Amino acid sequence: MLAKAYEIVTMLAKISLGPPAKGNLFSRRGGENRLLWQKIIFMTDCLFVPARRNFGKFLLPLLFLLLAGSGLAMADTNYSVLNENAITVADPSRVLLISIAHAGNRLVAVGEHGVIVYSDDNGQTWHQAVVPVRVTITSVAFATPLVGWAGADYGLVLHTTDGGLTWTKQIMGAEINQLMVANATQFLATNPNDPKAQMAVRRANILMSAGPDKPILSLVAMSPEVAIAFGAYRLAIATNDGGKTWTDLSLQVADPISHNLYDTAWIGTSLYIAGEAGTVLRSDDQGKTFVLLPTPSENTLFGIFDAGSNIVLAYGVAGAAFESANQGQSWSQVNVPSQSNLTAGITLKSGTILLANEAGNVFLSSDNGKNFHMIPGNQGMGIFGVAQAANGNVVLVGTSGVRVVPLSSLN
C-alpha cells in the first residue's frame, strides 16, 4: 500500500509543477518553479525511501507544497510556439544546442526556439534548417543519411526525409496523451482485477489532466519506418510506418515510478535507457518491452552508451559514472575527476572514451573506461552533446553553440 502511495504522490508532485527539460539543464521554466519541483521530489524520496514509517508526519506539509506550486507550471505554458516557425539566427554556430547526430557524413544539431542546424564540412560551417515550430528541441536521431526524427517540448516529434534540411510535425503531446489513455483503458478492460492495470489508468488520467506539455527527451531511429521516442514520466511512443501512426509504449516500460527517461542507446543487440534517479532499463526484443535493471546509483543518469566490447557506460549527476560488463546486471563506479554533471559521452573510432560536463571540461579514457583524465583547456560552455566528424575531429555542442576539437589535441 505504501509503495503505491509513493508512486502516486511522486507522480503528482512532478506533474503538478510540470516536467523539467533534459536534466533541468534546458528548462524553460523559472528558477523558483524548478527549485520547488526539486524540493518536492527530494522530500518525497526522503519520505518514502529511507523513512517510510514517517509517512503521516510529513504528508500534510508535502501536500501543501504540492498545492502551493500547482499553479506555477501552467502559467508559462505557451502552445502558440507549436505553430510558429523557428527563430532565424544570424550565426547558426553560436546558439544554444542540446543534441547532435550524424546524417551520413552530415552533422545535425538541435536546440532552443526550434533551431536545427547542420554542417557538411565536419563542423566548420553551419546552416539553419527549415523548422515549423519555435519550441526547445531536445534530441535528434537518424535512421539513414536522409531519414530522421527530432524530439521536443510539448511531446512534439519532428520528421525529416532530406537529411535534416527541412522538418515536418508528426505527433504532439495532446495526441500522445490520448494514445496513453486509450492504451491504459484497454489494458484495464482486459485485466479488470489487475492492480497494474488500475494504476495504469490512474497514471494516464493524471498525465492527461496535467496537459500536453511533457517533453520528448531521447530518440532511437531503427529504420526509415521504425523509431521510438522517450520522455518525461515514462513517456514512450513508437512508430512502425515512418511516423504516419504512433502507439503508446509506456506500459511496456517496466518503471513503476514513471521516471524521466533521458537517453537511449544500442549496446550490442540490446537497447538501453538511462534516466532519473539511477533508472536503467534494457530491451532484448528490438524495443518491444523494457525490463528494469539493478540501479547503479540513486543519482540521475543523463546518458548511456557502448564503451566498447559491449561494456555499458552510464553517466550523470555530480560527475558520477558507472560501467557494466554483464548487460547491466551489476555495476562498478568509474573514476572521473569531475564534480559537475556529466552531460555528454561517446566512444571514438580509436576506442578512446570521451565524457564531457556542464562546466565545459572534457575527459578521456584509454583503458576501457576504468580511469579518466581531463584534457587541458576548458571549452568555455556547458557541453550537452558530442559527435565525431568524418575527419576524426570531435564536435561539441552546448550553451554557446559549437566547439570543434581537433583529434590531434585529444591526448
Side-chain angles (χ1 to χ4, degrees):
M1 179 68 182
L2 201 53
K4 289 182 181 178
Y6 171 56
E7 181 175 348
I8 294 170
V9 173
T10 300
M11 186 183 302
L12 283 170
K14 293 160 69 175
I15 293 171
S16 68
L17 293 173
K22 207 168 187 178
N24 277 336
L25 296 172
F26 326 118
S27 178
R28 304 296 299 153
R29 307 191 186 284
E32 291 181 354
N33 189 9
R34 227 171 20 247
L35 180 60
L36 186 55
W37 185 91
Q38 291 169 335
K39 286 181 178 177
I40 289 177
I41 299 307
F42 175 76
M43 286 181 61
T44 308
D45 287 340
C46 290
L47 274 170
F48 290 93
V49 179
R52 293 176 188 268
R53 61 181 177 272
N54 290 327
F55 173 80
K57 180 178 179 181
F58 294 102
L59 179 60
L60 287 179
L62 174 65
L63 292 179
F64 173 79
L65 280 176
L66 281 174
L67 294 173
S70 63
L72 293 175
M74 299 308 292
D76 65 350
T77 299
N78 178 14
Y79 299 117
S80 66
V81 293
L82 293 167
N83 298 306
E84 299 172 356
N85 292 334
I87 64 169
T88 300
V89 296
D91 185 348
S93 69
R94 295 177 62 84
V95 294
L96 189 153
L97 297 170
I98 296 169
S99 182
I100 185 170
H102 286 276
N105 287 333
R106 173 175 291 163
L107 295 170
V108 180
V110 301
E112 281 198 316
H113 306 301
V115 172
I116 298 180
V117 299
Y118 61 91
S119 172
D120 290 320
D121 58 4
N122 301 306
Q124 296 302 312
T125 60
W126 293 82
H127 310 277
Q128 187 170 1
V130 178
V131 182
V133 295
R134 196 168 289 194
V135 299
T136 295
I137 304 175
T138 62
S139 50
V140 60
F142 281 83
T144 72
L146 294 178
V147 178
W149 285 267
D153 282 356
Y154 303 107
L156 173 67
V157 176
L158 298 166
H159 187 240
T160 181
T161 58
D162 58 10
L165 303 183
T166 61
W167 296 79
T168 58
K169 292 181 282 189
Q170 281 198 335
I171 189 171
M172 291 184 282
E175 186 178 351
I176 293 174
N177 283 348
Q178 293 169 1
L179 292 173
M180 184 173 48
V181 169
N183 192 23
T185 301
Q186 177 61 34
F187 182 29
L188 181 61
T190 55
N191 302 273
N193 298 317
D194 188 339
K196 292 182 179 179
Q198 297 165 6
M199 185 62 210
V201 171
R202 287 196 294 271
R203 169 184 174 271
N205 287 333
I206 289 171
L207 290 170
M208 171 70 86
S209 299
D213 61 341
K214 318 305 177 294
I216 303 293
L217 298 172
S218 60
L219 288 160
V220 58
M222 301 161 68
S223 76
E225 291 76 35
V226 181
I228 308 175
F230 303 97
Y233 317 130
R234 206 179 80 216
L235 183 156
I237 56 173
T239 181
N240 292 304
D241 57 10
K244 295 181 179 68
T245 60
W246 292 80
T247 58
D248 173 55
L249 193 65
S250 64
L251 297 184
Q252 281 67 54
V253 178
D255 171 25
I257 306 300
S258 294
H259 291 103
N260 298 328
L261 306 177
Y262 288 121
D263 195 24
T264 182
W266 284 105
I267 302 173
T269 58
S270 298
L271 184 60
Y272 290 78
I273 302 171
E276 183 184 10
T279 301
V280 181
L281 301 112
R282 189 187 74 232
S283 172
D284 298 322
D285 56 8
Q286 300 293 302
K288 294 180 176 63
T289 60
F290 289 83
V291 297
L292 189 64
L293 299 176
T295 179
S297 166
E298 292 184 359
N299 289 341
T300 287
L301 300 171
F302 293 138
I304 192 166
F305 65 97
D306 188 345
S309 303
N310 294 334
I311 293 175
V312 183
L313 197 153
Y315 58 86
V317 165
F322 308 88
E323 66 176 15
S324 172
N326 57 5
Q327 295 188 301
Q329 295 305 312
S330 63
W331 300 85
S332 57
Q333 188 157 7
V334 173
N335 179 28
V336 183
S338 172
Q339 298 300 313
S340 297
N341 296 338
L342 295 169
T343 45
I346 189 177
T347 299
L348 303 177
K349 297 171 186 176
S350 64
T352 297
I353 301 170
L354 182 152
L355 291 172
N357 67 15
E358 65 180 2
N361 298 312
V362 175
F363 308 88
L364 298 178
S365 172
S366 56
D367 58 3
N368 296 318
K370 293 181 177 60
N371 295 281
F372 284 81
H373 68 274
M374 186 172 68
I375 68 170
N378 185 280
Q379 299 305 312
M381 68 174 188
I383 301 166
F384 300 148
V386 58
Q388 188 171 20
N391 66 353
N393 290 341
V394 171
V395 181
L396 307 167
V397 298
T399 53
S400 298
V402 179
R403 298 285 189 274
V404 178
V405 181
L407 184 62
S408 59
S409 68
L410 297 176
N411 50 49

Short mmCIF file of all heavy atoms in Angstrom, two decimals, residues 27-82:
data_model
loop_
_atom_site.label_atom_id
_atom_site.label_comp_id
_atom_site.label_asym_id
_atom_site.label_seq_id
_atom_site.Cartn_x
_atom_site.Cartn_y
_atom_site.Cartn_z
N SER A 27 15.57 23.82 -18.98
CA SER A 27 14.20 24.13 -18.62
C SER A 27 13.81 25.53 -19.06
O SER A 27 14.57 26.47 -18.94
CB SER A 27 14.02 24.00 -17.11
OG SER A 27 12.71 24.34 -16.75
N ARG A 28 12.59 25.63 -19.58
CA ARG A 28 12.04 26.92 -19.94
C ARG A 28 11.35 27.57 -18.76
O ARG A 28 10.86 28.69 -18.86
CB ARG A 28 11.03 26.74 -21.08
CG ARG A 28 11.59 26.05 -22.29
CD ARG A 28 12.69 26.90 -22.93
NE ARG A 28 12.16 28.17 -23.37
CZ ARG A 28 12.89 29.26 -23.46
NH1 ARG A 28 14.14 29.26 -23.10
NH2 ARG A 28 12.34 30.37 -23.91
N ARG A 29 11.26 26.86 -17.65
CA ARG A 29 10.52 27.37 -16.51
C ARG A 29 11.44 28.17 -15.59
O ARG A 29 12.65 28.03 -15.61
CB ARG A 29 9.89 26.21 -15.74
CG ARG A 29 9.07 25.33 -16.67
CD ARG A 29 8.21 24.35 -15.90
NE ARG A 29 7.57 23.44 -16.82
CZ ARG A 29 6.54 23.75 -17.57
NH1 ARG A 29 6.03 24.95 -17.54
NH2 ARG A 29 6.01 22.86 -18.39
N GLY A 30 10.85 28.99 -14.75
CA GLY A 30 11.63 29.86 -13.87
C GLY A 30 12.37 29.09 -12.80
O GLY A 30 12.04 27.96 -12.46
N GLY A 31 13.39 29.74 -12.22
CA GLY A 31 14.21 29.09 -11.22
C GLY A 31 13.43 28.71 -9.98
O GLY A 31 13.66 27.66 -9.39
N GLU A 32 12.46 29.52 -9.56
CA GLU A 32 11.69 29.19 -8.36
C GLU A 32 10.88 27.93 -8.60
O GLU A 32 10.80 27.06 -7.72
CB GLU A 32 10.75 30.35 -8.01
CG GLU A 32 11.47 31.60 -7.54
CD GLU A 32 10.51 32.70 -7.18
OE1 GLU A 32 9.30 32.52 -7.41
OE2 GLU A 32 10.97 33.72 -6.68
N ASN A 33 10.28 27.81 -9.77
CA ASN A 33 9.49 26.63 -10.09
C ASN A 33 10.37 25.39 -10.10
O ASN A 33 10.03 24.35 -9.54
CB ASN A 33 8.83 26.81 -11.46
CG ASN A 33 7.82 25.72 -11.76
OD1 ASN A 33 7.49 24.93 -10.89
ND2 ASN A 33 7.33 25.70 -12.98
N ARG A 34 11.54 25.50 -10.71
CA ARG A 34 12.46 24.39 -10.81
C ARG A 34 12.91 23.97 -9.41
O ARG A 34 12.96 22.78 -9.09
CB ARG A 34 13.67 24.81 -11.64
CG ARG A 34 14.03 23.79 -12.68
CD ARG A 34 15.07 24.20 -13.67
NE ARG A 34 15.93 25.29 -13.33
CZ ARG A 34 15.93 26.45 -13.93
NH1 ARG A 34 15.05 26.70 -14.88
NH2 ARG A 34 16.79 27.39 -13.61
N LEU A 35 13.25 24.95 -8.57
CA LEU A 35 13.72 24.65 -7.22
C LEU A 35 12.63 23.97 -6.41
O LEU A 35 12.88 23.00 -5.69
CB LEU A 35 14.17 25.94 -6.54
CG LEU A 35 14.69 25.79 -5.11
CD1 LEU A 35 15.91 24.87 -5.09
CD2 LEU A 35 15.05 27.16 -4.54
N LEU A 36 11.40 24.47 -6.53
CA LEU A 36 10.30 23.88 -5.78
C LEU A 36 10.06 22.45 -6.23
O LEU A 36 9.84 21.55 -5.41
CB LEU A 36 9.02 24.72 -5.97
CG LEU A 36 7.81 24.30 -5.14
CD1 LEU A 36 8.16 24.25 -3.66
CD2 LEU A 36 6.66 25.26 -5.38
N TRP A 37 10.12 22.22 -7.54
CA TRP A 37 9.97 20.86 -8.08
C TRP A 37 11.01 19.93 -7.47
O TRP A 37 10.71 18.84 -7.00
CB TRP A 37 10.11 20.90 -9.60
CG TRP A 37 9.86 19.59 -10.26
CD1 TRP A 37 8.69 19.11 -10.74
CD2 TRP A 37 10.83 18.56 -10.53
NE1 TRP A 37 8.86 17.86 -11.29
CE2 TRP A 37 10.15 17.51 -11.17
CE3 TRP A 37 12.19 18.44 -10.29
CZ2 TRP A 37 10.80 16.35 -11.57
CZ3 TRP A 37 12.83 17.28 -10.69
CH2 TRP A 37 12.14 16.25 -11.32
N GLN A 38 12.27 20.38 -7.45
CA GLN A 38 13.33 19.55 -6.92
C GLN A 38 13.13 19.28 -5.44
O GLN A 38 13.36 18.16 -4.96
CB GLN A 38 14.68 20.23 -7.15
CG GLN A 38 15.07 20.29 -8.63
CD GLN A 38 16.26 21.19 -8.87
OE1 GLN A 38 16.52 22.11 -8.09
NE2 GLN A 38 16.98 20.96 -9.94
N LYS A 39 12.68 20.30 -4.69
CA LYS A 39 12.46 20.11 -3.26
C LYS A 39 11.37 19.08 -3.01
O LYS A 39 11.47 18.25 -2.11
CB LYS A 39 12.09 21.45 -2.61
CG LYS A 39 13.27 22.40 -2.45
CD LYS A 39 12.83 23.69 -1.78
CE LYS A 39 14.01 24.63 -1.57
NZ LYS A 39 13.57 25.92 -0.97
N ILE A 40 10.30 19.15 -3.80
CA ILE A 40 9.19 18.22 -3.58
C ILE A 40 9.62 16.79 -3.86
O ILE A 40 9.33 15.87 -3.10
CB ILE A 40 7.98 18.60 -4.45
CG1 ILE A 40 7.36 19.90 -3.91
CG2 ILE A 40 6.95 17.49 -4.48
CD1 ILE A 40 6.20 20.40 -4.71
N ILE A 41 10.34 16.59 -4.97
CA ILE A 41 10.79 15.24 -5.28
C ILE A 41 11.77 14.75 -4.22
O ILE A 41 11.72 13.60 -3.78
CB ILE A 41 11.43 15.20 -6.68
CG1 ILE A 41 10.38 15.61 -7.72
CG2 ILE A 41 11.95 13.81 -6.99
CD1 ILE A 41 9.10 14.82 -7.64
N PHE A 42 12.64 15.65 -3.78
CA PHE A 42 13.58 15.27 -2.72
C PHE A 42 12.83 14.87 -1.46
O PHE A 42 13.13 13.86 -0.83
CB PHE A 42 14.53 16.43 -2.44
CG PHE A 42 15.47 16.16 -1.28
CD1 PHE A 42 16.55 15.32 -1.44
CD2 PHE A 42 15.25 16.76 -0.06
CE1 PHE A 42 17.41 15.08 -0.38
CE2 PHE A 42 16.10 16.52 1.00
CZ PHE A 42 17.19 15.67 0.84
N MET A 43 11.83 15.68 -1.10
CA MET A 43 11.06 15.37 0.11
C MET A 43 10.33 14.05 -0.05
O MET A 43 10.25 13.25 0.89
CB MET A 43 10.05 16.50 0.39
CG MET A 43 10.69 17.75 0.95
SD MET A 43 9.43 19.01 1.28
CE MET A 43 8.43 18.15 2.49
N THR A 44 9.77 13.81 -1.23
CA THR A 44 9.05 12.57 -1.46
C THR A 44 9.97 11.38 -1.31
O THR A 44 9.63 10.38 -0.66
CB THR A 44 8.42 12.57 -2.87
OG1 THR A 44 7.67 13.76 -3.04
CG2 THR A 44 7.51 11.37 -3.05
N ASP A 45 11.17 11.48 -1.91
CA ASP A 45 12.13 10.39 -1.78
C ASP A 45 12.53 10.20 -0.32
O ASP A 45 12.63 9.07 0.17
CB ASP A 45 13.38 10.69 -2.61
CG ASP A 45 13.11 10.53 -4.09
OD1 ASP A 45 12.12 9.84 -4.41
OD2 ASP A 45 13.86 11.08 -4.89
N CYS A 46 12.73 11.30 0.40
CA CYS A 46 13.09 11.19 1.82
C CYS A 46 11.97 10.56 2.63
O CYS A 46 12.21 9.79 3.56
CB CYS A 46 13.42 12.57 2.39
SG CYS A 46 14.97 13.26 1.76
N LEU A 47 10.75 10.89 2.27
CA LEU A 47 9.60 10.36 2.98
C LEU A 47 9.51 8.85 2.86
O LEU A 47 9.40 8.12 3.83
CB LEU A 47 8.31 10.95 2.41
CG LEU A 47 7.81 12.29 2.95
CD1 LEU A 47 6.68 12.79 2.08
CD2 LEU A 47 7.35 12.11 4.37
N PHE A 48 9.56 8.38 1.61
CA PHE A 48 9.15 7.00 1.36
C PHE A 48 10.31 6.02 1.31
O PHE A 48 10.13 4.86 1.62
CB PHE A 48 8.38 6.92 0.04
CG PHE A 48 7.04 7.57 0.12
CD1 PHE A 48 6.87 8.89 -0.25
CD2 PHE A 48 5.95 6.86 0.57
CE1 PHE A 48 5.62 9.49 -0.17
CE2 PHE A 48 4.70 7.46 0.64
CZ PHE A 48 4.53 8.77 0.27
N VAL A 49 11.47 6.47 0.90
CA VAL A 49 12.54 5.51 0.70
C VAL A 49 13.29 5.22 1.99
O VAL A 49 13.26 4.12 2.50
CB VAL A 49 13.49 5.98 -0.42
CG1 VAL A 49 14.61 4.99 -0.60
CG2 VAL A 49 12.71 6.14 -1.71
N PRO A 50 13.96 6.23 2.61
CA PRO A 50 14.72 5.90 3.82
C PRO A 50 13.88 5.84 5.08
O PRO A 50 14.31 5.25 6.05
CB PRO A 50 15.76 7.02 3.91
CG PRO A 50 15.27 8.11 3.04
CD PRO A 50 14.15 7.62 2.23
N ALA A 51 12.73 6.49 5.13
CA ALA A 51 11.98 6.57 6.38
C ALA A 51 10.49 6.42 6.12
O ALA A 51 9.70 7.31 6.37
CB ALA A 51 12.26 7.90 7.07
N ARG A 52 10.10 5.26 5.61
CA ARG A 52 8.71 5.06 5.22
C ARG A 52 7.76 5.16 6.42
O ARG A 52 6.61 5.53 6.27
CB ARG A 52 8.55 3.69 4.54
CG ARG A 52 9.26 3.61 3.21
CD ARG A 52 9.16 2.22 2.62
NE ARG A 52 9.99 2.11 1.43
CZ ARG A 52 9.56 2.34 0.20
NH1 ARG A 52 8.32 2.69 -0.01
NH2 ARG A 52 10.36 2.22 -0.84
N ARG A 53 8.24 4.83 7.60
CA ARG A 53 7.34 4.85 8.76
C ARG A 53 6.96 6.26 9.18
O ARG A 53 6.09 6.45 10.02
CB ARG A 53 8.00 4.12 9.93
CG ARG A 53 9.30 4.72 10.41
CD ARG A 53 9.86 3.90 11.55
NE ARG A 53 11.14 4.38 12.00
CZ ARG A 53 12.30 4.01 11.50
NH1 ARG A 53 12.32 3.13 10.50
NH2 ARG A 53 13.43 4.50 11.97
N ASN A 54 7.61 7.29 8.61
CA ASN A 54 7.28 8.67 8.95
C ASN A 54 6.26 9.27 7.99
O ASN A 54 6.13 10.48 7.91
CB ASN A 54 8.54 9.53 8.94
CG ASN A 54 9.45 9.18 10.11
OD1 ASN A 54 8.97 8.81 11.16
ND2 ASN A 54 10.76 9.26 9.88
N PHE A 55 5.57 8.44 7.24
CA PHE A 55 4.64 8.90 6.20
C PHE A 55 3.66 9.94 6.73
O PHE A 55 3.53 11.03 6.18
CB PHE A 55 3.89 7.70 5.63
CG PHE A 55 2.78 8.06 4.69
CD1 PHE A 55 3.06 8.38 3.37
CD2 PHE A 55 1.47 8.08 5.11
CE1 PHE A 55 2.04 8.71 2.50
CE2 PHE A 55 0.44 8.39 4.25
CZ PHE A 55 0.74 8.71 2.94
N GLY A 56 2.97 9.62 7.83
CA GLY A 56 1.94 10.52 8.34
C GLY A 56 2.49 11.84 8.83
O GLY A 56 1.87 12.89 8.68
N LYS A 57 3.69 11.82 9.38
CA LYS A 57 4.29 13.01 9.95
C LYS A 57 4.54 14.09 8.90
O LYS A 57 4.44 15.29 9.19
CB LYS A 57 5.60 12.63 10.63
CG LYS A 57 6.33 13.79 11.28
CD LYS A 57 7.59 13.28 11.98
CE LYS A 57 8.36 14.42 12.61
NZ LYS A 57 9.59 13.94 13.26
N PHE A 58 4.88 13.67 7.67
CA PHE A 58 5.28 14.63 6.65
C PHE A 58 4.27 14.78 5.51
O PHE A 58 4.47 15.61 4.63
CB PHE A 58 6.63 14.23 6.06
CG PHE A 58 7.76 14.31 7.03
CD1 PHE A 58 8.25 13.15 7.61
CD2 PHE A 58 8.32 15.52 7.38
CE1 PHE A 58 9.30 13.21 8.50
CE2 PHE A 58 9.36 15.59 8.28
CZ PHE A 58 9.85 14.42 8.86
N LEU A 59 3.20 14.00 5.50
CA LEU A 59 2.30 14.02 4.37
C LEU A 59 1.64 15.38 4.17
O LEU A 59 1.60 15.91 3.06
CB LEU A 59 1.22 12.94 4.53
CG LEU A 59 0.19 12.87 3.41
CD1 LEU A 59 0.91 12.59 2.08
CD2 LEU A 59 -0.86 11.81 3.68
N LEU A 60 1.13 15.99 5.23
CA LEU A 60 0.44 17.27 5.08
C LEU A 60 1.36 18.37 4.56
O LEU A 60 1.00 19.11 3.64
CB LEU A 60 -0.22 17.67 6.40
CG LEU A 60 -1.47 16.86 6.78
CD1 LEU A 60 -2.01 17.35 8.11
CD2 LEU A 60 -2.53 16.97 5.69
N PRO A 61 2.59 18.53 5.12
CA PRO A 61 3.48 19.54 4.53
C PRO A 61 3.79 19.27 3.06
O PRO A 61 3.89 20.21 2.27
CB PRO A 61 4.75 19.41 5.39
CG PRO A 61 4.28 18.85 6.68
CD PRO A 61 3.15 17.94 6.34
N LEU A 62 3.92 18.01 2.70
CA LEU A 62 4.20 17.68 1.31
C LEU A 62 3.05 18.08 0.41
O LEU A 62 3.23 18.73 -0.63
CB LEU A 62 4.47 16.18 1.17
CG LEU A 62 4.64 15.66 -0.26
CD1 LEU A 62 5.89 16.26 -0.89
CD2 LEU A 62 4.72 14.16 -0.28
N LEU A 63 1.84 17.74 0.82
CA LEU A 63 0.67 18.08 0.01
C LEU A 63 0.48 19.59 -0.06
O LEU A 63 0.04 20.13 -1.09
CB LEU A 63 -0.59 17.41 0.58
CG LEU A 63 -0.61 15.88 0.45
CD1 LEU A 63 -1.90 15.33 1.06
CD2 LEU A 63 -0.50 15.45 -1.00
N PHE A 64 0.82 20.30 1.01
CA PHE A 64 0.74 21.76 0.97
C PHE A 64 1.66 22.31 -0.10
O PHE A 64 1.29 23.19 -0.88
CB PHE A 64 1.10 22.35 2.33
CG PHE A 64 1.21 23.85 2.32
CD1 PHE A 64 0.07 24.65 2.36
CD2 PHE A 64 2.45 24.47 2.25
CE1 PHE A 64 0.16 26.03 2.34
CE2 PHE A 64 2.55 25.85 2.22
CZ PHE A 64 1.41 26.63 2.27
N LEU A 65 2.89 21.79 -0.16
CA LEU A 65 3.82 22.24 -1.19
C LEU A 65 3.31 21.91 -2.57
O LEU A 65 3.46 22.67 -3.52
CB LEU A 65 5.20 21.61 -0.97
CG LEU A 65 6.10 22.25 0.09
CD1 LEU A 65 7.36 21.45 0.25
CD2 LEU A 65 6.41 23.69 -0.30
N LEU A 66 2.69 20.74 -2.69
CA LEU A 66 2.11 20.35 -3.99
C LEU A 66 1.09 21.37 -4.45
O LEU A 66 1.12 21.85 -5.59
CB LEU A 66 1.44 18.98 -3.87
CG LEU A 66 2.33 17.75 -3.90
CD1 LEU A 66 1.48 16.52 -3.63
CD2 LEU A 66 3.03 17.63 -5.24
N LEU A 67 0.18 21.71 -3.55
CA LEU A 67 -0.89 22.63 -3.91
C LEU A 67 -0.36 24.03 -4.13
O LEU A 67 -0.80 24.75 -5.03
CB LEU A 67 -1.97 22.63 -2.82
CG LEU A 67 -2.72 21.30 -2.66
CD1 LEU A 67 -3.63 21.37 -1.44
CD2 LEU A 67 -3.53 21.00 -3.92
N ALA A 68 0.62 24.43 -3.33
CA ALA A 68 1.17 25.77 -3.47
C ALA A 68 1.86 25.96 -4.80
O ALA A 68 1.85 27.05 -5.38
CB ALA A 68 2.17 26.04 -2.34
N GLY A 69 2.45 24.88 -5.32
CA GLY A 69 3.18 25.01 -6.58
C GLY A 69 2.38 24.65 -7.79
O GLY A 69 2.85 24.82 -8.91
N SER A 70 1.16 24.17 -7.61
CA SER A 70 0.42 23.62 -8.74
C SER A 70 0.10 24.64 -9.81
O SER A 70 -0.07 24.30 -10.96
CB SER A 70 -0.88 22.97 -8.24
OG SER A 70 -1.71 23.95 -7.64
N GLY A 71 0.04 25.92 -9.45
CA GLY A 71 -0.30 26.91 -10.46
C GLY A 71 0.88 27.47 -11.21
O GLY A 71 0.71 28.16 -12.20
N LEU A 72 2.11 27.15 -10.76
CA LEU A 72 3.28 27.75 -11.37
C LEU A 72 3.56 27.21 -12.75
O LEU A 72 3.94 27.94 -13.65
CB LEU A 72 4.50 27.52 -10.48
CG LEU A 72 4.50 28.23 -9.13
CD1 LEU A 72 5.72 27.80 -8.33
CD2 LEU A 72 4.49 29.74 -9.32
N ALA A 73 3.38 25.89 -12.92
CA ALA A 73 3.83 25.27 -14.16
C ALA A 73 3.04 25.74 -15.36
O ALA A 73 3.61 26.03 -16.41
CB ALA A 73 3.72 23.74 -14.04
N MET A 74 1.73 25.82 -15.20
CA MET A 74 0.90 26.14 -16.36
C MET A 74 0.91 27.63 -16.69
O MET A 74 0.47 28.03 -17.76
CB MET A 74 -0.53 25.66 -16.13
CG MET A 74 -0.65 24.16 -15.92
SD MET A 74 0.15 23.19 -17.22
CE MET A 74 -0.93 23.57 -18.61
N ALA A 75 1.44 28.44 -15.78
CA ALA A 75 1.41 29.89 -16.02
C ALA A 75 2.21 30.30 -17.24
O ALA A 75 1.90 31.29 -17.89
CB ALA A 75 1.93 30.62 -14.78
N ASP A 76 3.30 29.53 -17.55
CA ASP A 76 4.13 29.92 -18.67
C ASP A 76 3.91 29.01 -19.88
O ASP A 76 4.71 29.01 -20.80
CB ASP A 76 5.60 29.95 -18.28
CG ASP A 76 6.14 28.57 -17.91
OD1 ASP A 76 5.33 27.64 -17.78
OD2 ASP A 76 7.36 28.44 -17.77
N THR A 77 2.83 28.21 -19.85
CA THR A 77 2.53 27.35 -20.98
C THR A 77 2.10 28.20 -22.16
O THR A 77 1.18 29.00 -22.06
CB THR A 77 1.42 26.35 -20.63
OG1 THR A 77 1.88 25.53 -19.55
CG2 THR A 77 1.08 25.49 -21.82
N ASN A 78 2.77 28.00 -23.28
CA ASN A 78 2.51 28.82 -24.46
C ASN A 78 2.51 27.92 -25.69
O ASN A 78 3.54 27.69 -26.30
CB ASN A 78 3.59 29.90 -24.59
CG ASN A 78 3.38 30.76 -25.83
OD1 ASN A 78 2.31 30.73 -26.44
ND2 ASN A 78 4.40 31.50 -26.20
N TYR A 79 1.32 27.40 -26.02
CA TYR A 79 1.23 26.45 -27.11
C TYR A 79 1.34 27.11 -28.48
O TYR A 79 1.43 26.44 -29.49
CB TYR A 79 -0.08 25.65 -27.00
CG TYR A 79 -0.17 24.85 -25.72
CD1 TYR A 79 -1.17 25.11 -24.78
CD2 TYR A 79 0.75 23.85 -25.45
CE1 TYR A 79 -1.24 24.38 -23.60
CE2 TYR A 79 0.68 23.11 -24.27
CZ TYR A 79 -0.32 23.38 -23.35
OH TYR A 79 -0.38 22.65 -22.20
N SER A 80 1.34 28.43 -28.54
CA SER A 80 1.46 29.10 -29.83
C SER A 80 2.79 28.80 -30.49
O SER A 80 2.90 28.85 -31.72
CB SER A 80 1.30 30.62 -29.66
OG SER A 80 2.37 31.17 -28.91
N VAL A 81 3.81 28.47 -29.70
CA VAL A 81 5.13 28.18 -30.28
C VAL A 81 5.10 26.92 -31.14
O VAL A 81 6.02 26.70 -31.93
CB VAL A 81 6.20 28.04 -29.18
CG1 VAL A 81 6.44 29.37 -28.49
CG2 VAL A 81 5.82 26.97 -28.16
N LEU A 82 4.06 26.13 -31.01
CA LEU A 82 3.93 24.94 -31.85
C LEU A 82 3.48 25.29 -33.27
O LEU A 82 3.53 24.45 -34.16
CB LEU A 82 2.94 23.95 -31.23
CG LEU A 82 3.41 23.31 -29.92
CD1 LEU A 82 2.25 22.60 -29.24
CD2 LEU A 82 4.55 22.33 -30.19
#
